[in-house]
């Protein structure tokens, strides 16, 4: 959300280039097949301003693509939803919308003339001669598919938001006492002696029958059967439907020809690139590279680039946005230095250090992939029809079993199943990958009630009836005697470990014994960890132990569970080192960090207040559809 508000101060070229990535993502990766319902309605409403499905999908695609660029792995729409990226995209749009509504109500406006003046003076749009580059600007608009009016609409909204947010941020100052106190708290370090108690030093006496019965009676709720339910379930999914779809060879060949490029393996190259301010600088640098007086990375460093900026990775030609650079990179020899390439937005010198040959597919090689894809497409097209037929059957009073038989769908009737999909004998009951989601709803429902359909995943649904329930029952002592013994031993060992740790800590607090002596009695080896900060969890210690240690004075001792919760760590504070006094440079850097955090808090409060005052409503069903987790109903 805050990124959406703060981005007004950042380079426009970067933002527009990212928009190009969003567009290309939709074209090259066929995102349109994942996101359905484009243009169907509004996802949310802020005051009287709608956030459309189209706006959300473009933003969501951008978030997914950004995750791919950062992590190197393409996320599906479903994975994005699991990570909450759909909510992140919507929150970004809502934040932008509430600020824009506020700007409108304040009467803020920018004329076209003012926007043009700002554009022409923006260093991001200047050419090699230091003047506004109309050619580069027009090329950018063409790649984005935007008119000038469309571009100015985007920039006007961003500039108006920036006026408001900059006004809020401009008045924020990081108080010097806060900076000083934060440094003292954050940069204080401690040296700890610590040891892990050897579990084998704890011997739990074998419990007799009386002790086991006593343990059983005191912990009866730990020895109950789970609640079981008799559940009937009907499943509808594209995966099930496609099993009965048998495309002919002619249909497969036609489908292959239509999307042949998606089955071909494109040539990929590992490319390095150095960007320069102008052609003269690039020519001089290329000369040094060709003569061998400097290597590629040294030249890049002198040009102000990091190694991460130079290495573009293993990519295909289509993944390069600038066609001039793409043509040069994919026509040059390996390990050679390219001529100077004047791209649309920058001037570069390239080097290819690895080439992975492409391969053109044949129908016979990918026939099964084509069959799978075509069957899946046709199955998805039939989902809405089958969904309606099932609902009609439900409304007509038919049972799920009858509907399943008519529609030839997967039907299951579980006589007794618990929340974990287990029968009383411990065996798995329902063999379906989406069972967990179904049972979650089934154990909320009342027996005999009519229940809503459960959306399991993309193109996957389930209907269920809870026929009856079997309430939890107390397991007889004789049946669970072995489990009671394990429970007793585990509980008693943990109690005895706690007691031993407490005694060792008390000995350290007394001050009469060395840590080495206490460690020896704990059955472990004394360790020393120096310069620990509050935010650290160094080897041998846990976050809980470090947190405790920073509440103690020098010589203070404590204990905490180990990371596996199987034993305890005993520790003592050997030394406390106050934070060093900050240099002016360090203080200024920390002040900037503090100010950034304060800005975040102010902006969050501002947007939260606007959302409350203006009112925000979200169409959850439309959001699910636009996110790619629900189909047309």
């Amino acid at each position: 959300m805050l990124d959406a508000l703060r981005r007004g101060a950042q380079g426009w070229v970067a933002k527009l280039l990212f928009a190009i990535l969003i567009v290309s993502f939709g074209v090259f990766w066929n995102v349109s097949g994942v996101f359905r319902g484009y243009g169907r309605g509004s996802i949310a409403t802020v005051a009287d301003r709608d956030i459309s499905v189209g706006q959300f999908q473009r933003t969501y695609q951008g978030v997914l693509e950004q995750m791919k660029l950062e992590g190197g792995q393409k996320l599906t729409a479903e994975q994005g939803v699991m990570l909450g990226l759909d909510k992140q995209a919507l929150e970004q749009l809502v934040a932008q919308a509430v600020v824009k509504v506020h700007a409108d109500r304040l009467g803020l406006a920018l004329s076209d003339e003012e926007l043009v003046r700002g554009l022409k003076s923006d260093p991001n749009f200047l050419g090699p001669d230091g003047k506004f580059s109309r050619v580069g600007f027009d090329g950018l608009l063409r790649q984005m598919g935007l008119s000038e009016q469309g571009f100015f609409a985007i920039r006007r909204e961003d500039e108006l938001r920036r006026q408001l947010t900059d006004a809020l941020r401009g008045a924020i100052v990081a108080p010097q006492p806060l900076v000083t106190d934060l440094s003292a708290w954050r940069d204080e370090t401690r040296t700890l002696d610590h040891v892990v108690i050897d579990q084998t030093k704890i011997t739990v006496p074998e419990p007799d029958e009386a002790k086991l019965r006593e343990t059983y009676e005191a912990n009866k709720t730990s020895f109950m059967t789970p609640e079981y339910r008799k559940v009937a379930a009907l499943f509808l999914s594209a995966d099930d439907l496609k099993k009965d779809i048998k495309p002919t060879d002619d249909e497969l060949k036609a489908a292959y020809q239509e999307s042949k490029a998606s089955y071909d393996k494109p040539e990929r190259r590992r490319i390095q690139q150095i960007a320069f301010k102008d052609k003269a600088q690039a020519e001089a640098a290329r000369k040094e590279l060709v003569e061998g007086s400097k290597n590629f990375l040294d030249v890049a460093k002198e040009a102000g680039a990091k190694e991460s900026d130079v290495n573009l990775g293993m990519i295909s030609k289509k993944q390069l946005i600038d066609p001039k650079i793409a043509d040069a990179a994919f026509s040059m020899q390996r390990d050679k230095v390219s001529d100077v390439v004047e791209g649309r937005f920058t001037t570069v010198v390239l080097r290819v250090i690895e080439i992975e040959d492409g391969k053109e597919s044949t129908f016979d090689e990918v026939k099964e992939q084509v069959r799978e894809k075509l069957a899946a497409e046709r199955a998805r097209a039939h989902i809405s029809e089958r969904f309606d037929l099932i609902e009609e059957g439900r409304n007509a009073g038919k049972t799920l079993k009858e509907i399943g038989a008519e529609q030839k769908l997967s039907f299951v009737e579980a006589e007794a199943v618990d929340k974990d999909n287990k029968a009383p004998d411990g065996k798995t009951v329902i063999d379906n990958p989406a069972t967990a989601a179904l049972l979650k709803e089934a154990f909320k429902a009342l027996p005999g009630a009519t229940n809503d359909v459960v959306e399991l995943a993309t193109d996957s649904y389930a209907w269920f009836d809870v026929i009856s329930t079997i309430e939890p029952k107390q397991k007889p002592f004789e049946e669970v005697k072995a489990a009671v013994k394990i429970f007793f031993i585990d509980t008693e060992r943990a109690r005895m470990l706690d007691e031993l740790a407490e005694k060792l800590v008390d000995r350290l607090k007394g001050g009469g014994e060395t840590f080495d002596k206490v460690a020896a009695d704990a059955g472990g080896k004394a360790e020393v960890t120096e310069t620990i900060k509050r935010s650290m969890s160094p080897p041998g210690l846990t976050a809980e132990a470090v947190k405790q240690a920073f509440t103690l004075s020098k010589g203070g001792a404590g204990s905490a569970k180990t990371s596996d919760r199987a034993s305890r760590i005993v520790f003592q504070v050997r030394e406390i080192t106050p934070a060093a006094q900050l240099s002016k440079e360090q203080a200024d850097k920390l002040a900037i960090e503090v100010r950034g955090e304060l800005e975040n808090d102010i902006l969050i409060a501002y947007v939260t207040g606007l959302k409350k005052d203006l009112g925000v409503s979200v169409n959850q069903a439309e959001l699910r559809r636009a996110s790619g987790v629900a189909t047309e109903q």
Side-chain angles (χ1 to χ4, degrees):
M1 177 180 73
L2 296 179
D3 288 342
L5 297 177
R6 303 177 71 149
R7 63 179 186 159
Q10 298 172 2
W12 266 88
V13 169
K15 285 187 283 185
L16 295 182
L17 284 175
F18 186 65
I20 294 171
L21 285 174
I22 295 173
V23 174
S24 64
F25 184 65
V27 173
F28 296 131
W29 293 96
N30 196 26
V31 172
S32 59
V34 176
F35 296 103
R36 289 176 299 279
Y38 184 90
R40 175 175 180 153
S42 64
I43 294 288
T45 303
V46 176
D48 57 353
R49 182 185 178 101
D50 287 338
I51 296 174
S52 70
V53 171
Q55 287 176 286
F56 169 78
Q57 290 177 333
R58 287 190 293 271
T59 303
Y60 187 31
Q61 291 173 34
V63 172
L64 292 176
E65 177 65 9
Q66 182 62 29
M67 291 292 289
K68 178 189 172 190
L69 292 176
E70 292 175 358
Q73 181 178 0
K74 178 186 174 186
L75 294 179
T76 65
E78 292 82 358
Q79 289 170 328
V81 170
M82 290 174 64
L83 293 172
L85 300 183
D86 58 330
K87 303 294 192 302
Q88 177 182 321
L90 179 59
E91 189 64 26
Q92 175 180 327
L93 289 169
V94 168
Q96 292 173 349
V98 295
V99 177
K100 180 59 170 63
V101 171
H102 190 210
D104 291 344
R105 292 187 177 183
L106 292 174
L108 299 181
L110 285 172
S111 67
D112 287 347
E113 292 76 12
E114 184 64 28
L115 285 173
V116 170
R117 279 195 295 271
L119 176 67
K120 288 186 175 181
S121 62
D122 190 332
N124 292 295
F125 290 99
L126 301 183
D129 58 358
K131 298 179 181 179
F132 173 71
S133 174
R134 180 74 200 195
V135 174
F137 178 64
D138 288 342
L140 190 61
L141 294 185
R142 281 196 300 274
Q143 289 193 56
M144 292 185 64
L146 279 178
S147 64
E148 283 190 15
Q149 290 80 4
F151 169 82
F152 283 128
I154 295 172
R155 179 145 183 159
R156 177 178 283 108
E157 288 204 3
D158 218 43
E159 287 294 321
L160 290 174
R161 281 194 293 267
R162 186 179 62 79
Q163 287 185 9
L164 281 172
T165 55
D166 279 0
L168 289 171
R169 296 163 55 201
I172 296 172
V173 177
Q176 188 56 45
L178 177 59
V179 174
T180 302
D181 289 347
L182 176 59
S183 173
W185 183 85
R186 190 176 69 176
D187 295 330
E188 174 190 314
T189 63
R190 300 197 169 200
T191 298
L192 300 186
D193 293 296
H194 52 96
V195 65
V196 175
I197 297 175
D198 181 3
Q199 295 179 63
T200 62
K201 291 186 69 67
I202 303 297
T203 302
V204 179
E206 189 74 13
D208 56 18
E209 182 85 1
K211 180 59 70 174
L212 291 178
R213 286 189 177 276
E214 179 186 336
T215 301
Y216 170 76
E217 291 296 331
N219 300 277
K220 278 190 170 183
T221 56
S222 299
F223 306 103
M224 303 278 289
T225 62
E227 177 186 343
Y228 291 100
R229 294 195 165 199
K230 183 176 181 178
V231 176
L234 178 65
F235 294 93
L236 169 65
S237 72
D239 284 342
D240 287 337
L241 296 184
K242 73 181 182 183
K243 295 174 184 176
D244 296 325
I245 297 174
K246 310 294 184 184
T248 66
D249 277 359
D250 288 342
E251 290 172 329
L252 293 177
K253 289 176 181 177
Y256 168 70
Q257 291 300 328
E258 286 177 5
S259 57
K260 181 179 181 300
S262 66
Y263 299 103
D264 295 340
K265 178 184 175 184
E267 177 187 335
R268 299 198 308 160
R269 295 186 169 206
R270 193 173 302 280
I271 300 168
Q272 293 182 319
Q273 169 185 290
I274 306 174
F276 297 95
K277 295 179 180 179
D278 53 46
K279 185 176 181 180
Q281 185 188 27
E283 292 282 10
R286 182 183 182 278
K287 182 179 179 182
E288 291 176 327
L289 290 171
V290 173
E291 292 174 348
S293 58
K294 292 182 181 178
N295 65 39
F296 207 82
L297 293 180
D298 286 340
V299 171
K301 188 175 181 181
E302 290 176 2
K306 298 179 292 187
E307 187 171 347
S308 57
D309 299 324
V310 174
N311 295 315
L312 303 186
M314 181 70 83
I315 55 178
S316 66
K317 188 174 183 179
K318 284 186 176 181
Q319 289 175 281
L320 285 168
I321 297 171
D322 194 311
K324 288 186 178 180
I325 294 176
D327 288 341
F330 277 80
S331 61
M332 61 185 295
Q333 295 179 1
R334 176 177 172 173
D335 297 326
K336 299 292 185 180
V337 177
S338 74
D339 292 331
V340 173
V341 183
E342 293 184 90
R344 289 184 173 177
F345 312 109
T346 187
T347 300
V348 301
V349 170
L350 305 165
R351 181 171 70 169
V352 175
I353 60 175
E354 183 181 349
I355 298 176
E356 184 182 275
D357 292 335
K359 185 178 184 300
E360 188 172 347
S361 65
T362 66
F363 174 71
D364 289 336
E365 288 174 337
V366 299
K367 182 177 179 179
E368 293 308 313
Q369 295 178 46
V370 178
R371 187 192 309 279
E372 180 75 11
K373 181 180 178 181
L374 186 56
E377 289 173 354
R378 292 184 177 178
R380 283 194 294 269
H382 294 153
I383 281 286
S384 295
E385 176 188 343
R386 291 295 189 94
F387 186 101
D388 292 340
L389 290 172
I390 294 170
E391 287 291 287
E392 289 173 7
R394 295 279 278 174
N395 293 334
K398 295 180 181 180
T399 66
L400 293 178
K401 185 174 183 179
E402 290 170 339
I403 297 171
E406 289 176 358
Q407 300 297 324
K408 298 180 180 179
L409 297 174
S410 174
F411 170 80
V412 176
E413 187 169 272
E415 286 295 327
V417 61
D418 68 10
K419 290 181 179 180
D420 297 321
N421 195 23
K422 299 295 182 183
D425 62 2
K427 294 181 179 178
T428 298
V429 180
I430 303 175
D431 183 18
N432 188 292
T435 301
L438 169 69
L439 291 179
K440 181 179 179 181
E441 298 303 319
F443 273 81
K444 295 178 185 176
L446 296 174
T450 300
N451 305 297
D452 293 333
V453 61
V454 181
E455 297 182 12
L456 302 174
T458 303
D459 303 319
S460 182
Y461 302 90
W463 290 258
F464 70 90
D465 289 325
V466 178
I467 300 168
S468 61
T469 63
I470 303 172
E471 296 299 325
K473 295 188 301 183
Q474 187 68 52
K475 294 180 181 179
F477 171 74
E478 293 299 334
E479 181 183 321
V480 296
K481 186 175 179 180
V484 174
K485 181 177 179 180
I486 293 172
F487 181 90
F488 172 82
I489 291 174
D490 289 344
T491 304
E492 189 65 8
R493 178 179 287 109
R495 184 190 66 78
M496 294 172 71
L497 272 168
D498 290 348
E499 284 186 356
L500 176 55
E502 187 176 347
K503 289 177 182 177
L504 296 173
V505 168
D506 287 341
R507 287 167 58 184
L508 291 169
K509 288 179 178 178
E513 296 186 71
T514 65
F515 192 87
D516 285 341
K517 176 65 170 66
V518 171
D521 291 345
K525 179 183 177 183
E527 302 282 353
V528 181
T529 302
E530 299 177 337
T531 61
I532 301 170
K533 292 186 178 182
R534 296 175 191 268
S535 59
M536 297 169 61
S537 295
L541 292 166
T542 61
E544 180 187 354
V546 172
K547 182 179 179 181
Q548 274 194 59
F550 273 85
T551 66
L552 302 172
S553 58
K554 183 177 178 179
S559 76
K561 287 188 178 294
T562 54
S563 57
D564 61 3
R565 320 299 287 178
S567 187
R568 293 193 74 86
I569 306 164
V570 175
F571 56 86
Q572 185 174 34
V573 180
R574 176 189 286 196
E575 196 65 55
I576 299 176
T577 304
Q581 185 174 353
L582 294 174
S583 66
K584 184 179 185 309
E585 182 181 353
Q586 291 171 326
D588 290 344
K589 184 177 179 181
L590 184 55
I592 293 172
E593 182 181 332
V594 171
R595 181 182 175 184
E597 292 299 322
L598 293 175
E599 287 177 0
N600 284 351
D601 293 342
I602 292 294
L603 289 175
I604 287 173
Y606 169 59
V607 171
T608 301
L610 287 178
K611 288 165 65 176
K612 182 178 180 181
D613 292 342
L614 298 175
V616 177
S617 61
V618 178
N619 185 334
Q620 295 292 344
E622 200 69 72
L623 175 62
R624 287 194 298 271
R625 279 189 287 268
S627 301
V629 296
T631 59
E632 299 284 342
Q633 295 185 16

